[in-house]
mmCIF file of all heavy atoms in Angstrom:
data_model
loop_
_atom_site.group_PDB
_atom_site.id
_atom_site.type_symbol
_atom_site.label_atom_id
_atom_site.label_comp_id
_atom_site.label_asym_id
_atom_site.label_seq_id
_atom_site.Cartn_x
_atom_site.Cartn_y
_atom_site.Cartn_z
ATOM 1 N N ALA A 1 26.431 147.242 80.087
ATOM 2 C CA ALA A 1 25.686 146.502 81.106
ATOM 3 C C ALA A 1 25.373 145.076 80.658
ATOM 4 O O ALA A 1 24.306 144.560 80.930
ATOM 5 C CB ALA A 1 24.401 147.234 81.446
ATOM 6 N N ASP A 2 26.305 144.431 79.997
ATOM 7 C CA ASP A 2 26.061 143.088 79.484
ATOM 8 C C ASP A 2 25.953 142.037 80.589
ATOM 9 O O ASP A 2 25.037 141.227 80.578
ATOM 10 C CB ASP A 2 27.155 142.736 78.485
ATOM 11 C CG ASP A 2 26.728 141.684 77.484
ATOM 12 O OD1 ASP A 2 25.518 141.464 77.317
ATOM 13 O OD2 ASP A 2 27.613 141.090 76.869
ATOM 14 N N PRO A 3 26.873 142.008 81.574
ATOM 15 C CA PRO A 3 26.739 141.005 82.631
ATOM 16 C C PRO A 3 25.644 141.374 83.636
ATOM 17 O O PRO A 3 25.211 142.517 83.716
ATOM 18 C CB PRO A 3 28.099 140.999 83.338
ATOM 19 C CG PRO A 3 28.975 141.917 82.577
ATOM 20 C CD PRO A 3 28.122 142.739 81.687
ATOM 21 N N THR A 4 25.257 140.423 84.434
ATOM 22 C CA THR A 4 24.267 140.649 85.484
ATOM 23 C C THR A 4 24.919 141.383 86.659
ATOM 24 O O THR A 4 26.000 141.028 87.089
ATOM 25 C CB THR A 4 23.720 139.296 85.980
ATOM 26 O OG1 THR A 4 23.209 138.590 84.864
ATOM 27 C CG2 THR A 4 22.636 139.479 87.013
ATOM 28 N N SER A 5 24.261 142.416 87.170
ATOM 29 C CA SER A 5 24.690 143.141 88.371
ATOM 30 C C SER A 5 26.059 143.788 88.235
ATOM 31 O O SER A 5 26.806 143.907 89.207
ATOM 32 C CB SER A 5 24.673 142.224 89.599
ATOM 33 O OG SER A 5 23.411 141.651 89.760
ATOM 34 N N PHE A 6 26.408 144.213 87.041
ATOM 35 C CA PHE A 6 27.718 144.813 86.780
ATOM 36 C C PHE A 6 27.594 145.815 85.646
ATOM 37 O O PHE A 6 26.992 145.502 84.612
ATOM 38 C CB PHE A 6 28.730 143.726 86.395
ATOM 39 C CG PHE A 6 30.099 144.232 86.087
ATOM 40 C CD1 PHE A 6 31.057 144.321 87.080
ATOM 41 C CD2 PHE A 6 30.435 144.610 84.802
ATOM 42 C CE1 PHE A 6 32.336 144.782 86.797
ATOM 43 C CE2 PHE A 6 31.712 145.072 84.504
ATOM 44 C CZ PHE A 6 32.665 145.152 85.508
ATOM 45 N N PHE A 7 28.142 147.011 85.844
ATOM 46 C CA PHE A 7 28.185 148.023 84.791
ATOM 47 C C PHE A 7 29.615 148.511 84.623
ATOM 48 O O PHE A 7 30.385 148.532 85.591
ATOM 49 C CB PHE A 7 27.357 149.274 85.150
ATOM 50 C CG PHE A 7 25.906 149.047 85.408
ATOM 51 C CD1 PHE A 7 25.265 149.738 86.416
ATOM 52 C CD2 PHE A 7 25.163 148.175 84.646
ATOM 53 C CE1 PHE A 7 23.924 149.565 86.669
ATOM 54 C CE2 PHE A 7 23.813 147.988 84.885
ATOM 55 C CZ PHE A 7 23.193 148.691 85.896
ATOM 56 N N ALA A 8 29.951 148.947 83.445
ATOM 57 C CA ALA A 8 31.150 149.734 83.192
ATOM 58 C C ALA A 8 30.646 151.104 82.751
ATOM 59 O O ALA A 8 29.788 151.201 81.863
ATOM 60 C CB ALA A 8 32.018 149.100 82.120
ATOM 61 N N ILE A 9 31.126 152.158 83.404
ATOM 62 C CA ILE A 9 30.626 153.506 83.162
ATOM 63 C C ILE A 9 31.799 154.434 82.864
ATOM 64 O O ILE A 9 32.805 154.430 83.586
ATOM 65 C CB ILE A 9 29.861 154.041 84.397
ATOM 66 C CG1 ILE A 9 28.659 153.150 84.715
ATOM 67 C CG2 ILE A 9 29.439 155.490 84.189
ATOM 68 C CD1 ILE A 9 27.959 153.506 86.021
ATOM 69 N N GLN A 10 31.660 155.249 81.833
ATOM 70 C CA GLN A 10 32.649 156.284 81.533
ATOM 71 C C GLN A 10 32.007 157.633 81.814
ATOM 72 O O GLN A 10 30.900 157.916 81.337
ATOM 73 C CB GLN A 10 33.099 156.196 80.082
ATOM 74 C CG GLN A 10 34.247 157.125 79.760
ATOM 75 C CD GLN A 10 34.721 156.946 78.334
ATOM 76 O OE1 GLN A 10 33.905 156.828 77.422
ATOM 77 N NE2 GLN A 10 36.015 156.931 78.139
ATOM 78 N N THR A 11 32.689 158.463 82.609
ATOM 79 C CA THR A 11 32.118 159.740 83.018
ATOM 80 C C THR A 11 33.228 160.725 83.380
ATOM 81 O O THR A 11 34.354 160.316 83.674
ATOM 82 C CB THR A 11 31.166 159.552 84.219
ATOM 83 O OG1 THR A 11 30.632 160.810 84.616
ATOM 84 C CG2 THR A 11 31.869 158.916 85.398
ATOM 85 N N ASP A 12 32.890 161.991 83.384
ATOM 86 C CA ASP A 12 33.810 163.035 83.838
ATOM 87 C C ASP A 12 33.781 163.179 85.357
ATOM 88 O O ASP A 12 34.583 163.906 85.925
ATOM 89 C CB ASP A 12 33.443 164.389 83.209
ATOM 90 C CG ASP A 12 33.784 164.439 81.729
ATOM 91 O OD1 ASP A 12 34.785 163.820 81.329
ATOM 92 O OD2 ASP A 12 33.052 165.107 80.976
ATOM 93 N N GLU A 13 32.859 162.495 86.010
ATOM 94 C CA GLU A 13 32.709 162.608 87.459
ATOM 95 C C GLU A 13 33.864 161.948 88.209
ATOM 96 O O GLU A 13 34.455 160.987 87.722
ATOM 97 C CB GLU A 13 31.411 161.929 87.911
ATOM 98 C CG GLU A 13 30.157 162.573 87.394
ATOM 99 C CD GLU A 13 28.949 161.711 87.667
ATOM 100 O OE1 GLU A 13 28.790 160.691 86.969
ATOM 101 O OE2 GLU A 13 28.179 162.062 88.574
ATOM 102 N N THR A 14 34.120 162.435 89.413
ATOM 103 C CA THR A 14 35.045 161.746 90.305
ATOM 104 C C THR A 14 34.345 160.512 90.855
ATOM 105 O O THR A 14 33.111 160.388 90.768
ATOM 106 C CB THR A 14 35.457 162.637 91.489
ATOM 107 O OG1 THR A 14 34.293 162.889 92.303
ATOM 108 C CG2 THR A 14 36.079 163.947 91.022
ATOM 109 N N ILE A 15 35.105 159.627 91.453
ATOM 110 C CA ILE A 15 34.509 158.429 92.045
ATOM 111 C C ILE A 15 33.524 158.802 93.150
ATOM 112 O O ILE A 15 32.469 158.195 93.282
ATOM 113 C CB ILE A 15 35.599 157.448 92.539
ATOM 114 C CG1 ILE A 15 34.978 156.083 92.822
ATOM 115 C CG2 ILE A 15 36.369 158.008 93.726
ATOM 116 C CD1 ILE A 15 35.999 154.975 93.047
ATOM 117 N N ASP A 16 33.846 159.831 93.939
ATOM 118 C CA ASP A 16 32.935 160.248 95.003
ATOM 119 C C ASP A 16 31.664 160.872 94.453
ATOM 120 O O ASP A 16 30.575 160.635 94.972
ATOM 121 C CB ASP A 16 33.638 161.203 95.965
ATOM 122 C CG ASP A 16 34.717 160.501 96.773
ATOM 123 O OD1 ASP A 16 34.488 159.348 97.201
ATOM 124 O OD2 ASP A 16 35.787 161.096 96.975
ATOM 125 N N ALA A 17 31.783 161.646 93.381
ATOM 126 C CA ALA A 17 30.591 162.254 92.774
ATOM 127 C C ALA A 17 29.678 161.189 92.177
ATOM 128 O O ALA A 17 28.450 161.252 92.330
ATOM 129 C CB ALA A 17 30.995 163.271 91.712
ATOM 130 N N LEU A 18 30.249 160.194 91.509
ATOM 131 C CA LEU A 18 29.436 159.112 90.944
ATOM 132 C C LEU A 18 28.754 158.311 92.057
ATOM 133 O O LEU A 18 27.564 158.025 91.982
ATOM 134 C CB LEU A 18 30.297 158.183 90.084
ATOM 135 C CG LEU A 18 29.596 156.951 89.518
ATOM 136 C CD1 LEU A 18 28.393 157.326 88.656
ATOM 137 C CD2 LEU A 18 30.581 156.089 88.740
ATOM 138 N N THR A 19 29.497 157.988 93.098
ATOM 139 C CA THR A 19 28.922 157.254 94.227
ATOM 140 C C THR A 19 27.777 158.027 94.854
ATOM 141 O O THR A 19 26.707 157.473 95.136
ATOM 142 C CB THR A 19 30.014 156.947 95.274
ATOM 143 O OG1 THR A 19 31.051 156.186 94.643
ATOM 144 C CG2 THR A 19 29.455 156.176 96.455
ATOM 145 N N THR A 20 27.969 159.316 95.060
ATOM 146 C CA THR A 20 26.924 160.162 95.645
ATOM 147 C C THR A 20 25.697 160.218 94.743
ATOM 148 O O THR A 20 24.564 160.131 95.216
ATOM 149 C CB THR A 20 27.464 161.573 95.921
ATOM 150 O OG1 THR A 20 28.531 161.463 96.868
ATOM 151 C CG2 THR A 20 26.381 162.492 96.453
ATOM 152 N N ARG A 21 25.908 160.344 93.441
ATOM 153 C CA ARG A 21 24.779 160.400 92.504
ATOM 154 C C ARG A 21 23.976 159.101 92.535
ATOM 155 O O ARG A 21 22.742 159.113 92.551
ATOM 156 C CB ARG A 21 25.277 160.695 91.088
ATOM 157 C CG ARG A 21 24.162 160.753 90.056
ATOM 158 C CD ARG A 21 24.600 161.336 88.740
ATOM 159 N NE ARG A 21 25.654 160.636 88.058
ATOM 160 C CZ ARG A 21 25.479 159.577 87.248
ATOM 161 N NH1 ARG A 21 24.263 159.083 87.049
ATOM 162 N NH2 ARG A 21 26.506 159.031 86.635
ATOM 163 N N LEU A 22 24.680 157.972 92.546
ATOM 164 C CA LEU A 22 23.977 156.690 92.586
ATOM 165 C C LEU A 22 23.245 156.494 93.909
ATOM 166 O O LEU A 22 22.227 155.806 93.970
ATOM 167 C CB LEU A 22 24.958 155.543 92.344
ATOM 168 C CG LEU A 22 25.568 155.482 90.946
ATOM 169 C CD1 LEU A 22 26.634 154.406 90.879
ATOM 170 C CD2 LEU A 22 24.505 155.275 89.876
ATOM 171 N N ASP A 23 23.752 157.104 94.958
ATOM 172 C CA ASP A 23 23.100 157.052 96.272
ATOM 173 C C ASP A 23 21.875 157.961 96.301
ATOM 174 O O ASP A 23 20.763 157.523 96.578
ATOM 175 C CB ASP A 23 24.108 157.454 97.343
ATOM 176 C CG ASP A 23 23.500 157.693 98.717
ATOM 177 O OD1 ASP A 23 22.349 157.288 98.969
ATOM 178 O OD2 ASP A 23 24.182 158.295 99.556
ATOM 179 N N THR A 24 22.060 159.219 95.998
ATOM 180 C CA THR A 24 21.004 160.210 96.229
ATOM 181 C C THR A 24 19.925 160.256 95.153
ATOM 182 O O THR A 24 18.814 160.696 95.436
ATOM 183 C CB THR A 24 21.595 161.615 96.404
ATOM 184 O OG1 THR A 24 22.340 161.965 95.231
ATOM 185 C CG2 THR A 24 22.511 161.689 97.612
ATOM 186 N N ASN A 25 20.222 159.807 93.936
ATOM 187 C CA ASN A 25 19.242 159.907 92.854
ATOM 188 C C ASN A 25 18.529 158.591 92.561
ATOM 189 O O ASN A 25 17.946 158.424 91.494
ATOM 190 C CB ASN A 25 19.914 160.413 91.584
ATOM 191 C CG ASN A 25 20.411 161.836 91.726
ATOM 192 O OD1 ASN A 25 20.067 162.536 92.669
ATOM 193 N ND2 ASN A 25 21.240 162.272 90.810
ATOM 194 N N THR A 26 18.599 157.654 93.499
ATOM 195 C CA THR A 26 17.928 156.368 93.320
ATOM 196 C C THR A 26 17.112 156.047 94.568
ATOM 197 O O THR A 26 17.192 156.762 95.568
ATOM 198 C CB THR A 26 18.956 155.234 93.075
ATOM 199 O OG1 THR A 26 19.755 155.066 94.250
ATOM 200 C CG2 THR A 26 19.845 155.534 91.884
ATOM 201 N N THR A 27 16.372 154.963 94.502
ATOM 202 C CA THR A 27 15.535 154.573 95.647
ATOM 203 C C THR A 27 16.120 153.386 96.406
ATOM 204 O O THR A 27 15.427 152.755 97.199
ATOM 205 C CB THR A 27 14.103 154.221 95.167
ATOM 206 O OG1 THR A 27 14.175 153.154 94.217
ATOM 207 C CG2 THR A 27 13.419 155.430 94.562
ATOM 208 N N ILE A 28 17.395 153.086 96.180
ATOM 209 C CA ILE A 28 17.998 151.960 96.877
ATOM 210 C C ILE A 28 18.090 152.240 98.373
ATOM 211 O O ILE A 28 18.094 153.394 98.799
ATOM 212 C CB ILE A 28 19.370 151.585 96.275
ATOM 213 C CG1 ILE A 28 20.338 152.751 96.327
ATOM 214 C CG2 ILE A 28 19.202 151.088 94.853
ATOM 215 C CD1 ILE A 28 21.726 152.404 95.832
ATOM 216 N N LEU A 29 18.160 151.175 99.157
ATOM 217 C CA LEU A 29 18.087 151.277 100.616
ATOM 218 C C LEU A 29 19.398 150.819 101.249
ATOM 219 O O LEU A 29 19.830 149.682 101.060
ATOM 220 C CB LEU A 29 16.936 150.419 101.138
ATOM 221 C CG LEU A 29 15.557 150.786 100.579
ATOM 222 C CD1 LEU A 29 14.528 149.740 100.952
ATOM 223 C CD2 LEU A 29 15.149 152.166 101.048
ATOM 224 N N LYS A 30 20.014 151.710 102.020
ATOM 225 C CA LYS A 30 21.334 151.435 102.597
ATOM 226 C C LYS A 30 21.318 150.285 103.591
ATOM 227 O O LYS A 30 22.321 149.593 103.757
ATOM 228 C CB LYS A 30 21.888 152.705 103.250
ATOM 229 C CG LYS A 30 23.371 152.653 103.482
ATOM 230 C CD LYS A 30 23.961 154.016 103.760
ATOM 231 C CE LYS A 30 25.462 153.956 103.654
ATOM 232 N NZ LYS A 30 26.077 155.267 103.646
ATOM 233 N N ASP A 31 20.202 150.032 104.234
ATOM 234 C CA ASP A 31 20.145 148.953 105.221
ATOM 235 C C ASP A 31 19.899 147.581 104.588
ATOM 236 O O ASP A 31 19.915 146.569 105.287
ATOM 237 C CB ASP A 31 19.078 149.237 106.274
ATOM 238 C CG ASP A 31 17.668 149.239 105.719
ATOM 239 O OD1 ASP A 31 17.481 149.497 104.499
ATOM 240 O OD2 ASP A 31 16.724 148.996 106.493
ATOM 241 N N ARG A 32 19.696 147.525 103.246
ATOM 242 C CA ARG A 32 19.427 146.258 102.562
ATOM 243 C C ARG A 32 20.292 146.036 101.336
ATOM 244 O O ARG A 32 20.640 144.910 101.017
ATOM 245 C CB ARG A 32 17.972 146.214 102.088
ATOM 246 C CG ARG A 32 16.977 146.257 103.175
ATOM 247 C CD ARG A 32 15.602 146.348 102.598
ATOM 248 N NE ARG A 32 14.820 147.124 103.540
ATOM 249 C CZ ARG A 32 13.550 147.314 103.434
ATOM 250 N NH1 ARG A 32 12.888 146.818 102.421
ATOM 251 N NH2 ARG A 32 12.918 148.016 104.341
ATOM 252 N N ASP A 33 20.569 147.100 100.596
ATOM 253 C CA ASP A 33 21.220 147.008 99.296
ATOM 254 C C ASP A 33 22.704 147.362 99.412
ATOM 255 O O ASP A 33 23.154 147.889 100.423
ATOM 256 C CB ASP A 33 20.544 147.946 98.306
ATOM 257 C CG ASP A 33 19.046 147.690 98.183
ATOM 258 O OD1 ASP A 33 18.637 146.522 98.276
ATOM 259 O OD2 ASP A 33 18.292 148.661 98.011
ATOM 260 N N MET A 34 23.463 147.082 98.343
ATOM 261 C CA MET A 34 24.880 147.383 98.325
ATOM 262 C C MET A 34 25.316 147.638 96.889
ATOM 263 O O MET A 34 24.813 147.018 95.956
ATOM 264 C CB MET A 34 25.656 146.187 98.894
ATOM 265 C CG MET A 34 27.171 146.333 98.934
ATOM 266 S SD MET A 34 28.048 145.895 97.414
ATOM 267 C CE MET A 34 27.580 144.201 97.186
ATOM 268 N N PHE A 35 26.234 148.603 96.721
ATOM 269 C CA PHE A 35 26.922 148.741 95.447
ATOM 270 C C PHE A 35 28.358 149.164 95.687
ATOM 271 O O PHE A 35 28.684 149.757 96.720
ATOM 272 C CB PHE A 35 26.197 149.698 94.482
ATOM 273 C CG PHE A 35 26.268 151.160 94.821
ATOM 274 C CD1 PHE A 35 27.309 151.948 94.356
ATOM 275 C CD2 PHE A 35 25.274 151.758 95.580
ATOM 276 C CE1 PHE A 35 27.361 153.306 94.650
ATOM 277 C CE2 PHE A 35 25.308 153.107 95.871
ATOM 278 C CZ PHE A 35 26.359 153.885 95.406
ATOM 279 N N MET A 36 29.218 148.809 94.744
ATOM 280 C CA MET A 36 30.624 149.181 94.819
ATOM 281 C C MET A 36 31.031 149.814 93.496
ATOM 282 O O MET A 36 30.699 149.303 92.430
ATOM 283 C CB MET A 36 31.500 147.955 95.088
ATOM 284 C CG MET A 36 32.971 148.300 95.226
ATOM 285 S SD MET A 36 33.993 146.909 95.777
ATOM 286 C CE MET A 36 33.909 145.809 94.390
ATOM 287 N N VAL A 37 31.738 150.930 93.587
ATOM 288 C CA VAL A 37 32.287 151.627 92.429
ATOM 289 C C VAL A 37 33.797 151.504 92.511
ATOM 290 O O VAL A 37 34.382 151.772 93.568
ATOM 291 C CB VAL A 37 31.877 153.119 92.425
ATOM 292 C CG1 VAL A 37 32.488 153.842 91.229
ATOM 293 C CG2 VAL A 37 30.361 153.274 92.455
ATOM 294 N N MET A 38 34.431 151.117 91.406
ATOM 295 C CA MET A 38 35.867 150.926 91.428
ATOM 296 C C MET A 38 36.532 151.561 90.212
ATOM 297 O O MET A 38 36.022 151.441 89.099
ATOM 298 C CB MET A 38 36.205 149.436 91.476
ATOM 299 C CG MET A 38 37.695 149.149 91.557
ATOM 300 S SD MET A 38 38.066 147.387 91.577
ATOM 301 C CE MET A 38 37.448 146.958 93.178
ATOM 302 N N ASP A 39 37.638 152.229 90.448
ATOM 303 C CA ASP A 39 38.523 152.720 89.397
ATOM 304 C C ASP A 39 39.840 151.981 89.587
ATOM 305 O O ASP A 39 40.672 152.376 90.406
ATOM 306 C CB ASP A 39 38.717 154.225 89.522
ATOM 307 C CG ASP A 39 39.624 154.812 88.452
ATOM 308 O OD1 ASP A 39 40.322 154.037 87.765
ATOM 309 O OD2 ASP A 39 39.662 156.046 88.314
ATOM 310 N N ALA A 40 40.014 150.893 88.870
ATOM 311 C CA ALA A 40 41.194 150.052 89.047
ATOM 312 C C ALA A 40 42.472 150.773 88.634
ATOM 313 O O ALA A 40 43.525 150.553 89.235
ATOM 314 C CB ALA A 40 41.038 148.756 88.261
ATOM 315 N N ASP A 41 42.402 151.647 87.640
ATOM 316 C CA ASP A 41 43.589 152.381 87.210
ATOM 317 C C ASP A 41 44.139 153.265 88.326
ATOM 318 O O ASP A 41 45.344 153.384 88.499
ATOM 319 C CB ASP A 41 43.280 153.254 85.986
ATOM 320 C CG ASP A 41 43.086 152.428 84.726
ATOM 321 O OD1 ASP A 41 43.599 151.291 84.673
ATOM 322 O OD2 ASP A 41 42.420 152.921 83.805
ATOM 323 N N ALA A 42 43.245 153.881 89.077
ATOM 324 C CA ALA A 42 43.650 154.795 90.152
ATOM 325 C C ALA A 42 43.720 154.099 91.514
ATOM 326 O O ALA A 42 44.013 154.739 92.518
ATOM 327 C CB ALA A 42 42.678 155.970 90.228
ATOM 328 N N LYS A 43 43.441 152.807 91.557
ATOM 329 C CA LYS A 43 43.365 152.071 92.824
ATOM 330 C C LYS A 43 42.492 152.828 93.819
ATOM 331 O O LYS A 43 42.897 153.177 94.915
ATOM 332 C CB LYS A 43 44.747 151.809 93.394
ATOM 333 C CG LYS A 43 45.508 150.752 92.647
ATOM 334 C CD LYS A 43 46.729 150.318 93.397
ATOM 335 C CE LYS A 43 47.370 149.146 92.678
ATOM 336 N NZ LYS A 43 48.534 148.658 93.401
#
């Protein structure tokens, strides 16, 4: 998490599972906030 507003994460989760976890286990608000998860290797 060295840069601002950017993380690199290694996990056994699928991209959908990670996205869901970041959605459901946080207090971020869908009508105001945004995040993007990318796996460039798998496009």
